[in-house]
Amino acid sequence: MGEPNSSDNAMVHDNEMVVGNGVINGNEMIHGSEMIHGNEMVHADEMIHGNEMIHDNDMVQGSEMIHGNEMVQVNDLIHGNEMVQVNHMVNGDEMAHGNELINAEMTPQTTSRRRRKKSPVWEHFTIENMPGGSSRACCNLCKQTFAYSSGSKIAGTSHLKRHITLGSCPVMKDQDRKLALPPGGPVTDNDGEGTVERPLKRRYRYTGYANATFDQERSFSYLAKMIILHDYPLHIVQQSAFTTFIESLQPRFRVVDVETMEGEVYAVFQKAKENLLQAFSTMPGRISLTIGLWTTSQTLGYVSLAGQFIDSEFKVHRRMLNFMMVSSPHSENALSEAISSSLSEWNMKDKLFTITLDNDCSSHDIYSANLRDHLSNKNNLMLKGQLFVVRCYAHILNVVAQDVIASIHGVIYNIRESIKFIKASPLREERFAEIALQLEIPSTKTLCLDVTTQWNTTYLMLLAALDYKQAFATLETVDDNYNEAPSAEDWKKVDATCNYLKLLYDSAHSIMAAANPTANIFFHEAWKIQLELANGTGHEDPIFSGIAKDMHERFDKYWKDCSLVLAVAVVMDPRFKMKLVEFSYSKIYGAEAGKYVKVVNDSLHELYKEYVAQPLPLTPAYAEQGEANNVAANANATQGNPPSTSDGLLDFDMYLSEIQSSQPAKCELEQYLEESLTPRIQEFDILNWWKLNTLKFPTLSKMARDILAIPMSMVSSGSSIFSAGTGNRMLDDYRSSLRPEIVEALVCAKDWLQYSPAATDAPGSAMVKAEAS
């Protein structure tokens, strides 16, 4: 095979020139690792799709281009319309003119052993033999076939690569789309700047994100949000492992120092705060606060303030407002000054409804009196502050439970040590199980150790141990190493303790099970505990009566402080209204129930009058409804022939008019209380009921919104009541060392960033689509 063919697919055309390692073809020149196309130079790094190398017998079609760092080695086959073998590399000074190739020895193809195909495309294609000696490449996914060889002519792999990488394969395209989109649709970033496509984890990809736009400021903001949301220390930006990891992802990212990171964290905090301020401006009702005290290893402390409210769509929200450092958090003026400062900062001086405290009983009276006196002078407190101070229900459950557990701490210690002894080895566990089987103990409970900081685990430990009390006694007689078995008197104390702890345990679970822990649900729990403990004080067994008396003394103080606000809240439940108050008070107070019921009824009417006399500003939605009703009324008034005059019932209309003038219309509250109770169903949504009845009870619905939003418990929805501390919380040493404004930014921004800012766009609408945490 002499000279190469001069046809279109020949190896070297008339207008082609080989110079060095380049080929000049028309206006294109490949020189070294560069290609000049027209007046534009394309460097090798911009053309290489994977660092491919064509070795030995790899086939290259004449119309294909060898990119970047690809190399054609000796014996590579170059196909145009005929097959030739290049036995010598074309040197830099060698040139091919016309149909002659200088210093290139062209020899016919000789037999050579075909090596294993190394191109990645063969992971996705299979060669199928066709009649007549030809073969085609078949895609393993979509089963399409492509030209590969026809006799002595072999096609290249570029068209196969394009089928994979450019999305031509419909099966691969569908798989990549599913990988890219999470359940629920595309992912939108927090800044609302559009959809961010997640990088695809593809099996084979020549094109990637090497040329994707890099935004230092945006990445920096995301780093700050990561630190805030996951409580990472600010100095993580200086840790060598972290910086190495970041450089491996994006070498262009400029790692900053701690001081700069503090500034970015504070910037995120300020932006989120501006969004929340705008949302609060459309809040239709009042806000109730929860107050928490935090101590540090120093003499300083912090006060946390969170606000809870119900928006115009009757959705409950709780947001952290401030985390303020105070020099003396336990002083009488510390809380009142912190609350006043927070209300001024958030423009809510006239919107405070109640506050909920988690402090212990000994300090409660001081705080209550001080807060009422101080804040009533600066704010218009509803009902003269009678509902103003509320105590945390979860807190009182924990206090009472831990008190009764402490009263039998010696017995609990013996039981705890007994369980440790049994679980110390499999042999002891097996022996204890045999004893329980011989005694025919029917219990299926498993002995377990408790977590001393969570009283519910101690209750479950005692409950299980109580079933095996005979087994413990037997074990002591057969094992000389065991001498911790409780006495019969001890087991009676355990029985009495479990009997009353069950009331608290069941109540806590009922609260945690509520999807929307609105204020109305707490009355049901509190009055039953109050009644059971009061009855327990008269138990014939002195052990039972003694434990009940101690528990009742604690809980009764809570009941006296909060029974009014609990009762007012349950009246706002259309399934119960005043009927449940009357029923429960008759059980608790007996013959004196009437005067307590009257206190609740009078307070309700007085509170309603205040809402009538000083209505809160209408939201835009309500204003539009009112204007629409006025327009409709005016339109009917201007009509010449009202409907009532055309049906011959003019006398009936006059009669109705006389009745209305002689019988004044009842107020919304009276109308609501006199209506029959709503059927009790498990799926009842009280907030939705008031939303649907807003037009029917416009004033009462505002009152219900504020009352139902009172945070009777400071524990967030979905959290465990049992882990709520009974004392002040401690701020760790790391955060205690930070500047107060940075501590506040970290704590508050973490709360705010959990919610989508997109939900605050519509005035008066729900600030988050999910329930408040």
Side-chain angles (χ1 to χ4, degrees):
M1 299 175 61
E3 299 295 329
N5 196 317
S6 60
S7 63
D8 291 340
N9 292 325
M11 182 185 70
V12 183
H13 296 281
D14 289 341
N15 59 346
E16 293 181 351
M17 180 179 296
V18 180
V19 181
N21 293 329
V23 177
I24 300 176
N25 186 3
N27 293 326
E28 299 181 3
M29 182 176 70
I30 304 175
H31 193 283
S33 59
E34 302 177 353
M35 183 183 78
I36 301 177
H37 189 283
N39 295 325
E40 181 182 356
M41 178 175 291
V42 183
H43 292 278
D45 292 340
E46 298 175 351
M47 296 183 57
I48 299 174
H49 298 291
N51 290 329
E52 300 177 1
M53 187 175 286
I54 304 177
H55 293 281
D56 298 335
N57 295 322
D58 275 359
M59 306 303 173
V60 182
Q61 191 173 1
S63 59
E64 297 177 30
M65 180 178 293
I66 303 173
H67 293 280
N69 294 331
E70 296 177 351
M71 181 181 295
V72 182
Q73 293 188 350
V74 179
N75 295 329
D76 281 357
L77 298 181
I78 305 177
H79 284 273
N81 292 329
E82 52 184 70
M83 186 180 299
V84 295
Q85 182 179 14
V86 181
N87 289 329
H88 299 284
M89 298 300 294
V90 181
N91 296 325
D93 297 332
E94 295 173 349
M95 182 177 300
H97 289 285
N99 293 329
E100 297 181 356
L101 182 64
I102 303 176
N103 292 334
E105 178 181 345
M106 309 303 298
T107 61
Q109 172 67 28
T110 60
T111 59
S112 62
R113 181 174 59 85
R114 295 192 61 175
R115 65 171 181 82
R116 181 176 61 86
K117 296 178 176 61
K118 294 184 179 180
S119 177
V121 299
W122 299 115
E123 298 176 9
H124 304 276
F125 287 90
T126 304
I127 298 177
E128 295 183 350
N129 295 324
M130 307 298 291
S134 63
S135 59
R136 294 180 66 84
C138 177
C139 177
N140 297 332
L141 295 176
C142 68
K143 304 306 179 183
Q144 295 185 43
T145 61
F146 301 86
Y148 179 64
S149 73
S150 57
S152 61
K153 296 181 180 180
I154 299 180
T157 58
S158 293
H159 59 306
L160 305 182
K161 297 174 186 177
R162 288 192 294 271
H163 178 72
I164 300 171
T165 61
L166 299 182
S168 301
C169 179
V171 177
M172 183 175 289
K173 186 176 182 179
D174 183 63
Q175 291 177 350
D176 287 341
R177 180 183 61 80
K178 292 178 180 179
L179 288 172
L181 296 179
V187 177
T188 303
D189 63 18
N190 288 339
D191 297 329
E193 296 179 358
T195 301
V196 179
E197 181 185 1
R198 293 181 178 175
L200 306 183
K201 185 178 180 181
R202 300 187 66 163
R203 310 169 185 80
Y204 176 79
R205 196 173 184 89
Y206 287 100
T207 58
Y209 290 86
N211 295 324
T213 302
F214 168 66
D215 189 336
Q216 167 76 22
E217 295 302 323
R218 187 175 183 184
S219 298
F220 192 33
S221 178
Y222 280 131
L223 175 58
K225 292 176 182 178
M226 181 190 75
I227 290 175
I228 292 171
L229 287 171
H230 299 285
D231 296 324
Y232 295 138
L234 291 168
H235 57 261
I236 190 176
V237 296
Q238 293 183 336
Q239 295 175 358
S240 58
F242 177 78
T243 56
T244 302
F245 172 68
I246 291 298
E247 289 174 0
S248 69
L249 296 178
Q250 178 52 263
R252 290 182 288 173
F253 183 80
R254 176 175 50 83
V255 181
V256 298
D257 55 19
V258 174
E259 185 176 354
T260 306
M261 197 72 250
E262 283 186 354
E264 184 63 25
V265 166
Y266 198 76
V268 171
F269 161 76
Q270 288 285 20
K271 183 177 180 181
K273 185 175 183 179
E274 291 173 2
N275 294 334
L276 195 56
L277 269 169
Q278 183 179 1
F280 280 156
S281 65
T282 63
M283 186 174 63
R286 291 178 175 264
I287 192 169
S288 293
L289 301 180
T290 60
I291 312 296
L293 301 180
W294 294 70
T295 58
T296 66
S297 56
Q298 306 166 353
T299 57
L300 300 175
Y302 283 84
V303 174
S304 63
L305 296 94
Q308 183 161 304
F309 64 97
I310 295 176
D311 64 16
S312 59
E313 293 297 322
F314 279 83
K315 300 293 183 183
V316 182
H317 304 284
R318 181 181 293 186
R319 294 290 183 277
M320 181 69 70
L321 300 180
N322 293 96
F323 197 80
M324 307 167 63
M325 188 186 73
V326 291
S327 56
S328 302
H330 292 280
S331 67
E332 293 185 4
N333 294 327
L335 284 182
S336 56
E337 291 295 338
I339 294 172
S340 297
S341 175
S342 179
L343 293 176
S344 300
E345 184 178 346
W346 291 97
N347 300 323
M348 292 188 296
K349 289 183 178 180
D350 299 327
K351 291 190 173 185
L352 179 62
F353 192 57
T354 66
I355 63 167
T356 302
L357 302 172
D358 70 347
N359 52 286
D360 56 46
C361 299
S362 60
S363 304
H364 178 69
D365 294 333
I366 298 176
Y367 286 136
S368 299
N370 180 63
L371 288 172
R372 282 193 182 96
D373 294 341
H374 188 277
L375 294 174
S376 61
N377 297 329
K378 300 181 179 181
N379 302 273
N380 182 23
L381 299 183
M382 305 298 291
L383 204 60
K384 299 179 181 178
Q386 294 183 59
L387 308 178
F388 182 58
V389 178
V390 182
R391 292 180 59 196
C392 175
Y393 184 76
H395 181 265
I396 192 61
L397 290 183
N398 291 343
V399 168
V400 174
Q402 291 184 7
D403 279 354
V404 69
I405 287 174
S407 67
I408 60 166
H409 67 279
V411 180
I412 294 177
Y413 174 82
N414 287 344
I415 292 176
R416 192 179 289 130
E417 291 300 315
S418 299
I419 296 176
K420 287 180 182 179
F421 176 83
I422 294 171
K423 290 186 172 294
S425 69
L427 183 61
R428 291 176 180 176
E429 286 190 278
E430 184 178 349
R431 179 183 298 176
F432 188 81
E434 291 175 356
I435 294 174
L437 187 62
Q438 292 173 0
L439 295 174
E440 298 181 350
I441 297 176
S443 177
T444 58
K445 297 184 179 70
T446 302
L447 292 177
C448 57
L449 289 171
D450 63 334
V451 179
T452 57
T453 57
Q454 297 184 1
W455 65 265
N456 60 312
T457 62
T458 304
Y459 163 69
L460 295 176
M461 180 185 73
L462 297 178
L463 200 62
L466 193 60
D467 288 350
Y468 294 97
K469 60 182 180 180
Q470 294 180 353
F472 284 108
T474 303
L475 180 64
E476 192 173 38
T477 61
V478 299
D479 192 332
D480 296 336
N481 296 321
Y482 174 66
N483 55 5
E484 299 285 352
S487 63
E489 187 76 6
D490 291 338
W491 285 118
K492 185 178 289 187
K493 293 179 181 179
V494 172
D495 188 16
T497 299
C498 289
N499 180 67
Y500 293 114
L501 281 180
K502 186 178 186 302
L503 297 173
L504 310 182
Y505 182 82
D506 292 343
S507 180
H509 272 283
S510 297
I511 297 300
M512 290 190 297
N516 287 320
T518 46
N520 58 296
I521 68 174
F522 291 86
F523 182 84
H524 304 271
E525 306 301 326
W527 84 265
K528 287 184 289 186
I529 293 178
Q530 174 71 4
L531 177 63
E532 291 295 332
L533 293 179
N535 293 338
T537 58
H539 198 284
E540 57 184 11
D541 191 310
I543 294 179
F544 278 77
S545 62
I547 291 177
K549 183 178 180 181
D550 292 340
M551 295 175 68
H552 182 260
E553 184 178 350
R554 276 279 199 177
F555 196 84
D556 185 59
K557 186 170 182 61
Y558 170 82
W559 176 256
K560 290 178 179 178
D561 288 339
C562 300
S563 60
L564 178 59
V565 66
L566 290 169
V568 168
V570 81
V571 172
M572 293 295 101
D573 191 332
R575 298 170 297 175
F576 302 104
K577 303 180 182 179
M578 283 294 297
K579 301 301 182 183
L580 182 61
V581 175
E582 295 167 359
F583 172 78
S584 59
Y585 278 16
S586 65
K587 297 283 188 181
I588 296 174
Y589 299 112
E592 297 184 350
K595 67 178 183 180
Y596 292 99
V597 172
K598 186 177 185 302
V599 171
V600 176
N601 187 66
D602 292 346
S603 298
L604 272 170
H605 284 78
E606 186 65 28
L607 184 62
Y608 174 74
K609 290 178 182 179
E610 293 185 22
Y611 274 88
V612 173
Q614 300 177 356
L616 296 176
L618 292 176
T619 63
Y622 296 145
E624 292 173 2
Q625 292 172 0
E627 293 173 1
N629 293 337
N630 291 336
V631 170
N634 293 335
N636 291 333
T638 57
Q639 291 179 356
N641 296 317
S644 60
T645 61
S646 60
D647 56 5
L649 294 176
L650 181 60
D651 293 342
F652 177 68
D653 293 334
M654 296 176 62
Y655 169 74
L656 293 178
S657 165
E658 292 174 357
I659 292 179
Q660 292 174 356
S661 60
S662 61
Q663 298 179 357
K666 294 181 179 179
C667 68
E668 293 177 22
L669 179 59
E670 289 296 336
Q671 182 182 350
Y672 167 76
L673 294 176
E674 291 180 3
E675 286 184 353
S676 58
L677 300 180
T678 300
R680 298 195 307 276
I681 57 175
Q682 188 173 3
E683 299 80 10
F684 181 74
D685 187 343
I686 186 173
L687 296 179
N688 188 57
W689 189 93
W690 280 105
K691 179 182 178 182
L692 296 176
N693 287 272
T694 298
L695 295 179
K696 183 178 181 181
F697 303 113
T699 301
L700 192 61
S701 64
K702 298 176 188 177
M703 176 173 150
R705 179 195 289 117
D706 294 341
I707 292 174
L708 295 176
I710 297 175
M712 297 293 184
S713 171
M714 297 183 63
V715 179
S716 302
S717 175
S719 301
S720 173
I721 285 180
F722 308 109
S723 60
T726 58
N728 299 330
R729 285 160 286 189
M730 176 70 71
L731 202 65
D732 59 69
D733 291 338
Y734 165 68
R735 295 213 168 179
S736 300
S737 66
L738 299 175
R739 288 183 290 126
E741 59 269 25
I742 300 301
V743 176
E744 182 175 45
L746 290 170
V747 174
C748 294
K750 180 180 179 180
D751 178 73
W752 302 339
L753 290 177
Q754 298 178 52
Y755 309 102
S756 171
T760 62
D761 293 340
S765 64
M767 296 205 334
V768 288
K769 296 178 181 178
E771 292 301 324
S773 62

